[in-house]
Amino acid sequence: MKLEELRHGTELLKKGFAKMQKGGVIMDVTNAKQARIAEEAGAVAVMALHAVPADIRAAGGVARMADPAVILEIMDAVTIPVMAKVRIGHFVEAEILEALGVDTIDESEVLTPADEKYHIDKLRFTIPFVCGARDLGEALRRINEGAAMIRTKGEAGTGDVKEAVRHMRAIMGTIRELRGKTDEELLRVARDIDAPFELVKETAEMQRLPVVNFAAGGIATPADAALMMKMGADGVFVGSGVFKAESPEKMAKAIVEAVNNYDKPEVLAEISKGLGGAMKGLDTHTLSEDETLQTRGW
Amino acid sequence: MRVGIIALQGSVEEHVRAAERALSERGGGEAVSVKHAGIIPSCDAIILPGGESTTIGRLMLREGIADEIKSAAKGDVPILGTCAGLILLARYGDKQVEQTNQFLLELMNIHVTRNAFGRQRESFETPLKISVIGEKAFNAVFIRAPAITKVGENVEILAKCNGYIVAAKQDKLVALAFHPELTRDTRLHHFFFDLV
């Protein structure tokens, strides 16, 4: 086998990587110990951060890419893929993460945006990107820029699932509305939701997003995770929900099992027993507009 | 023919569609998703998809599916493992496998190494020669792929890439380090279904 025949960073490889995450739970971790707990619980990947979103929210100030030393420590600690976040539009942070060998970049509204006009041109990177979205138009704009995976934005760091529910319903509902539409009608939809026609058409035909679609932003219990799976999520991200819980080990295992048994209420009941407290959380209605993270990006 | 796709985590949907495509090309059959115990005994063939082997292994044990797969193998039911599935089929793992207490079905006499080619940045596609499916190269998609470092008795090597064994067969067990379910080429599926 000649080395030059190996093709790296193709769309198939990026989107294929995301497909391998389906039916799984991706957990936010801030150090090697937490990463091992996540792996042991059965997480399919970890998101390496310097602080979980609830703490980022509480700390205020400018939130940036995590310290590469923290990310490397986490990469060394586990065998599952490691993802990390960059600020919206901050392509140099993304280049740094790619140089570190991170498996996926999350261009995330949890960090303070670096560019108020442009998201990162994700097509020119070898490794895949995941991006947040609140509706179908936003999801397809990100895919058009090269995102290999989408997640709902929800409202990170709150432990309140309602925004993730709102976003998943918006995406799935609009996809259902596309069913049976003619090309002229889809062209109109593409204009209305500000998304490329080809992607709107592909979504209409597939009756799902053309890339893997996870739920994120406010998932704090096994029932929350199962709810998102029932609504059509391919998997879930749990941010603060695990390591802000009373017993992270129990909560992490329970959420992994809940994603696998989301269609079995009697099993979910068993899984949900005696977990200790979930993260305290924050009702998103108490947040003022400038405290919400989901409005970052467009 | 009834093909059970282990549906705990990973590229399940893609495997179901690929199996259905191959089955329809050879006159029918059905592909069923196996999420819980009780379905495997009625299957004529089993596919272990790609995904995270640590996760699939743990869920397989918790759901009681692992024992069912082992008994099926004893009953000569063909089993195909792709990527994570290859790891699960193996008898011997590397340091990474040990470090994570990775569960193995221990069905094939092969030694595996996880993430043999590196991280996602190093994932690749390549035309692969697999003589048992014909002259034309197969577009093999390797995603954080494992590889076989050593084979024991009764194991036939089907393909190699960069010095590693990436496809092997032992009786009715087939292990692939790459993802045929991500392409439209069904030749490996037919090779596998011929074992039924």
Side-chain angles (χ1 to χ4, degrees):
Chain A
M1 194 61 52
K2 281 182 245 118
L3 270 172
E4 59 266 31
E5 285 189 69
L6 306 186
R7 284 174 294 141
H8 299 279
T10 63
E11 285 306 295
L12 182 59
L13 288 165
K14 293 189 210 175
K15 291 177 182 165
F17 169 83
K19 285 176 180 171
M20 299 310 146
Q21 303 278 302
K22 286 198 295 183
V25 182
I26 301 169
M27 299 180 195
D28 281 3
V29 298
T30 59
N31 56 48
K33 185 167 169 262
Q34 291 185 350
R36 280 193 211 97
I37 291 172
E39 182 173 55
E40 180 57 36
V44 289
V46 292
M47 180 73 70
L49 289 160
H50 70 282
V52 293
D55 291 335
I56 292 176
R57 183 182 282 287
V62 176
R64 310 178 178 93
M65 173 187 82
D67 182 339
V70 172
I71 297 170
L72 287 171
E73 175 197 324
I74 291 167
M75 285 167 62
D76 281 342
V78 292
T79 63
I80 53 178
V82 175
M83 307 184 172
K85 289 185 195 289
V86 299
R87 287 178 265 177
I88 289 171
H90 207 314
F91 55 87
V92 170
E93 284 187 345
E95 287 167 1
I96 292 170
L97 291 189
E98 182 160 84
L100 287 176
V102 158
D103 295 292
T104 295
I105 296 170
D106 183 359
E107 187 182 18
S108 176
E109 68 284 359
V110 170
L111 306 182
T112 312
D115 192 321
E116 299 205 303
K117 205 161 172 195
Y118 299 102
H119 280 252
I120 296 171
D121 170 14
K122 294 167 271 290
L123 290 168
R124 69 180 181 87
F125 285 80
T126 303
I127 59 176
F129 276 74
V130 55
C131 288
R134 286 162 297 174
D135 53 44
L136 183 62
E138 195 173 9
L140 297 182
R141 286 194 292 279
R142 295 294 85 77
I143 295 168
N144 191 47
E145 292 159 359
M149 182 177 186
I150 292 294
R151 55 170 175 77
T152 59
K153 283 181 166 174
E155 189 55 44
T158 62
D160 185 347
V161 79
K162 79 164 85 68
E163 295 302 308
V165 166
R166 189 196 313 281
H167 301 158
M168 191 57 80
R169 279 203 190 280
I171 292 171
M172 303 311 256
T174 309
I175 292 175
R176 282 189 287 272
E177 283 169 18
L178 298 180
R179 200 196 301 262
K181 279 201 182 344
T182 63
D183 278 9
E184 299 93 301
E185 289 165 337
L186 291 176
L187 208 51
R188 177 75 227 187
V189 172
R191 217 162 45 168
D192 289 344
I193 66 171
D194 195 9
F197 169 72
E198 291 71 26
L199 286 174
V200 172
K201 192 171 157 67
E202 193 182 348
T203 304
E205 279 165 6
M206 291 173 76
Q207 275 297 297
R208 60 155 295 142
L209 279 186
V211 302
V212 166
N213 178 26
F214 269 46
I219 294 156
T221 67
D224 287 350
L227 174 68
M228 299 315 300
M229 293 301 288
K230 275 247 170 187
M231 294 181 67
D234 291 318
V236 299
F237 281 90
V238 186
S240 318
V242 170
F243 291 99
K244 285 285 166 190
E246 203 175 301
S247 168
E249 288 88 349
K250 282 190 194 168
M251 190 59 83
K253 278 203 174 88
I255 292 178
V256 169
E257 284 186 48
V259 165
N260 193 49
N261 289 285
Y262 70 88
D263 50 352
K264 296 208 150 182
E266 62 289 355
V267 180
L268 290 173
E270 208 51 49
I271 292 167
S272 306
K273 277 183 194 162
L275 294 177
M279 71 180 282
K280 180 162 178 283
L282 197 61
D283 186 329
T284 56
H285 285 314
T286 63
L287 298 175
S288 65
E289 203 167 319
D290 57 353
E291 288 175 312
T292 60
L293 303 177
Q294 59 175 279
T295 48
R296 295 166 164 182
W298 44 93
Chain B
M1 191 192 304
R2 187 172 154 93
V3 183
I5 318 286
I6 305 302
L8 296 168
Q9 193 273 315
S11 58
V12 175
E13 210 182 326
E14 292 69 25
H15 259 298
V16 170
R17 272 200 234 113
E20 282 173 349
R21 210 179 308 130
L23 286 168
S24 73
E25 286 164 2
R26 52 195 290 136
E30 64 168 335
V32 291
S33 295
V34 180
K35 269 182 81 105
H36 307 291
I39 306 165
I40 288 171
S42 67
C43 295
D44 305 306
I46 296 166
I47 296 178
L48 293 165
E52 281 308 316
S53 58
T54 49
T55 308
I56 299 174
R58 283 184 175 93
L59 289 171
M60 205 177 247
L61 279 175
R62 280 183 225 164
E63 294 295 328
I65 290 176
D67 285 337
E68 291 189 345
I69 297 174
K70 283 188 182 182
S71 344
K74 270 194 200 125
D76 251 4
V77 173
I79 304 175
L80 168 69
T82 65
C83 193
L86 168 145
I87 297 168
L88 289 160
L89 284 174
R91 178 151 296 152
Y92 313 100
D94 62 350
K95 230 171 59 200
Q96 275 200 23
V97 171
E98 280 167 31
Q99 179 200 325
T100 53
N101 302 314
Q102 167 76 56
F103 167 76
L104 302 174
L105 289 163
E106 302 178 352
L107 294 171
M108 282 181 82
N109 293 323
I110 55 176
H111 292 254
V112 294
T113 178
R114 280 185 66 197
N115 304 325
F117 302 93
R119 307 191 71 95
Q120 176 59 16
R121 199 175 49 188
E122 284 80 45
S123 291
F124 61 94
E125 288 179 55
T126 194
L128 188 66
K129 269 211 73 170
I130 312 169
S131 58
V132 291
I133 58 164
E135 271 304 297
K136 203 181 128 218
F138 190 93
N139 184 37
V141 183
F142 291 83
I143 297 177
R144 283 176 52 102
I148 300 170
T149 47
K150 214 163 85 182
V151 299
E153 244 179 278
N154 295 328
V155 180
E156 183 190 342
I157 295 168
L158 303 179
K160 279 189 175 186
C161 181
N162 277 16
Y164 281 116
I165 300 161
V166 294
K169 175 177 172 289
Q170 175 187 324
D171 302 320
K172 299 205 165 188
L173 308 173
V174 180
L176 307 174
F178 49 92
H179 295 279
E181 77 278 14
L182 295 182
T183 64
R184 296 191 61 85
D185 192 334
T186 51
R187 284 178 294 160
L188 280 166
H189 281 80
H190 289 296
F191 170 73
F192 173 62
F193 291 151
D194 284 343
L195 300 172
V196 175

